Amino acid sequence: MRKAVLIYYDARMLGHEPSGWDTNHPEWSDAVKAMIAHQYPEASLETYAYPERPERLTAIVERLHAEPVDGQGWRSPVQATHAQLQRVHTVEHLAYIESLVGGSGWLAQDTTAVSPESVVAARLAAGAGISAIEAIASGDDRHAFCIVRPPGHHASTDHARGFCLYNNIAVAAMHAREVLGYRRVMIWDWDMHHGNGTQEIFYDQPDVLVVDSHCEAPFYPGTGTLAETGTGAGLGYHLNVPYPRGSGNATLLDVFDLVVRPAARAFRPELILVSAGFDCHYLDQTCTMDDTGFAALTQHMCALAHEVCDDRLVMMLEGGYNAQALSDSAHATLRALAGHMVDGINVLPADEGRAAVAEAARFHADSIAALRRRSEGSDTVGDSL
């Protein structure tokens, strides 16, 4: 069945436009060059340009204007307020980011940088998720996709990192909990890089379940091992699924089948959020997914959201740095969100990541079983009141 899809986008996010190396900090540049040479041996450091560039969004938007998806509805996000951001980030971090308005330069040696309009772009990116779930909560529609930058999943409570200033998906999840009253929120981060910021923010909290599938350490940011499952009340609410480079569509489909769907059925979220990075695409040179894989993942997530949370599903762009890959993958994803059936899925004859996913599923089986017991227990308590 075809469905309407809300698309949140604002051209002011194109104003975030850092460039090149930071000549004021040659030691930072040297550290980043070493990291790039290690992770991307074929890359040319002489022609390096800031990867998180405006063309990431224009490639997606131009494709959607040229080939509209039935049911797509464009909306402008509202900038996140200081109070909304403070549910996730420290006062000191917010003051630091605000101090960067109108400035340019790198913030650290891991490539995070700003230009004069970056903070406005970041407020819009963080506000897009809030705008989307507000619309869904009010009954406007049930599916939304946020075309945003800078991305967010590496930003922690007090630190900008990995191109990220604010943690967009965490801001949305906290708004859903504290303002809209959703008691259980689930996040699947399928970006190729571990969402270390999202993990840090929710690591001790039992009302946000995070599944994170990503390239295994030491790939950037070097975190997200199987053993990182939460702490305190949040123990068992973080399910990391690390896999090797070269993994493809079958690996990520196994993540859904063996971890995401069982965990969602056990946890029974009232809202599902997806950190939708498209850097597993083969054109980003590390993994081997393509647009058919992302379309299939989205189709499965739509069915899961229909099953467990009355269709409430919001996807937010994270990584993905090849314009063609972004255009193809985002367009295929939006078609699936709108109810277009996936015609076929390209699968490698041998996908080495599948064994890693099976191992992760075995490792997390007890945590998923515990989620089910707690969920059933909470219902029993509620019925007796």
Side-chain angles (χ1 to χ4, degrees), residues 173-368:
M174 292 294 282
H175 186 81
R177 285 171 45 198
E178 297 193 11
V179 176
L180 300 177
Y182 292 115
R183 296 172 300 162
R184 295 184 298 274
V185 177
M186 180 176 182
I187 297 172
W188 181 14
D189 187 331
W190 74 37
D191 188 280
M192 182 178 69
H193 302 87
H194 178 238
N196 55 305
T198 307
Q199 175 169 297
E200 184 259 1
I201 289 163
F202 295 117
Y203 206 54
D204 61 353
Q205 299 186 33
D207 35 17
V208 177
L209 172 67
V210 179
V211 179
D212 195 309
S213 49
H214 51 271
C215 273
E216 62 196 359
F219 195 77
Y220 185 90
T223 52
T225 66
L226 287 176
E228 296 167 28
T229 58
T231 189
L235 184 64
Y237 288 86
H238 249 83
L239 310 179
N240 282 306
V241 186
Y243 50 74
R245 296 188 190 196
S247 298
N249 292 338
T251 291
L252 272 292
L253 289 167
D254 280 357
V255 174
F256 176 84
D257 287 336
L258 301 179
V259 181
V260 172
R261 182 166 54 196
R265 287 173 171 172
F267 183 62
R268 292 188 296 174
E270 296 166 313
L271 171 70
I272 296 177
L273 306 176
V274 177
S275 273
F278 295 114
D279 41 8
C280 280
H281 195 284
Y282 70 91
L283 289 176
D284 266 313
Q285 303 179 10
T286 300
C287 292
T288 53
M289 287 189 69
D290 68 359
D291 57 296
T292 69
F294 290 114
L297 292 182
T298 304
Q299 181 172 282
H300 290 327
M301 289 303 289
C302 289
L304 182 63
H306 180 73
E307 176 186 346
V308 301
C309 61
D310 193 25
D311 284 324
R312 290 184 287 266
L313 175 63
V314 176
M315 309 182 81
M316 300 193 71
L317 182 65
E318 294 284 359
Y321 304 98
N322 180 280
Q324 187 63 54
L326 280 166
S327 171
D328 292 345
S329 300
H331 193 266
T333 294
L334 277 154
R335 281 179 54 83
L337 276 176
H340 293 263
M341 297 301 294
V342 178
D343 295 329
I345 306 168
N346 297 321
V347 176
L348 296 172
D351 192 331
E352 295 183 3
R354 301 188 73 180
V357 176
E359 178 187 355
R362 289 190 293 270
F363 183 89
H364 293 309
D366 288 344
S367 292
I368 292 173

Side-chain angles (χ1 to χ4, degrees), residues 23-244:
T23 56
N24 294 322
H25 299 89
E27 72 281 10
W28 290 2
S29 297
D30 290 343
V32 173
K33 288 177 181 178
M35 180 180 68
I36 293 171
H38 173 70
Q39 297 196 11
Y40 302 97
E42 305 302 318
S44 171
L45 297 176
E46 300 304 319
T47 58
Y48 174 84
Y50 194 71
E52 210 289 274
R53 59 198 186 280
E55 290 78 8
R56 297 181 63 237
L57 299 198
T58 56
I60 297 171
V61 172
E62 289 172 2
R63 176 71 173 275
L64 288 169
H65 286 313
E67 300 176 42
V69 172
D70 291 343
Q72 69 182 33
W74 293 86
R75 293 199 177 178
S76 296
V78 176
Q79 293 186 42
T81 66
H82 188 277
Q84 290 167 339
L85 295 168
Q86 196 175 329
R87 296 188 190 115
V88 168
H89 297 289
T90 64
V91 173
E92 292 78 12
H93 178 69
L94 297 181
Y96 171 61
I97 298 299
E98 287 297 317
S99 74
L100 302 173
V101 173
S104 297
W106 286 23
L107 311 186
Q109 66 180 31
D110 77 338
T111 73
T112 309
V114 296
S115 63
E117 302 301 321
S118 294
V119 178
V120 170
R123 291 194 207 115
L124 287 163
I130 292 175
S131 297
I133 60 173
E134 286 276 4
I136 286 174
S138 68
D140 285 4
D141 279 304
R142 281 296 188 261
H143 294 168
F145 190 95
C146 302
I147 304 173
V148 298
R149 60 183 292 272
H153 69 155
H154 294 308
S156 64
T157 55
D158 61 357
H159 193 67
R161 188 179 182 190
F163 305 145
C164 306
L165 303 183
Y166 303 130
N167 194 303
N168 306 323
I169 206 144
V171 170
M174 292 294 282
H175 186 81
R177 285 171 45 198
E178 297 193 11
V179 176
L180 300 177
Y182 292 115
R183 296 172 300 162
R184 295 184 298 274
V185 177
M186 180 176 182
I187 297 172
W188 181 14
D189 187 331
W190 74 37
D191 188 280
M192 182 178 69
H193 302 87
H194 178 238
N196 55 305
T198 307
Q199 175 169 297
E200 184 259 1
I201 289 163
F202 295 117
Y203 206 54
D204 61 353
Q205 299 186 33
D207 35 17
V208 177
L209 172 67
V210 179
V211 179
D212 195 309
S213 49
H214 51 271
C215 273
E216 62 196 359
F219 195 77
Y220 185 90
T223 52
T225 66
L226 287 176
E228 296 167 28
T229 58
T231 189
L235 184 64
Y237 288 86
H238 249 83
L239 310 179
N240 282 306
V241 186
Y243 50 74

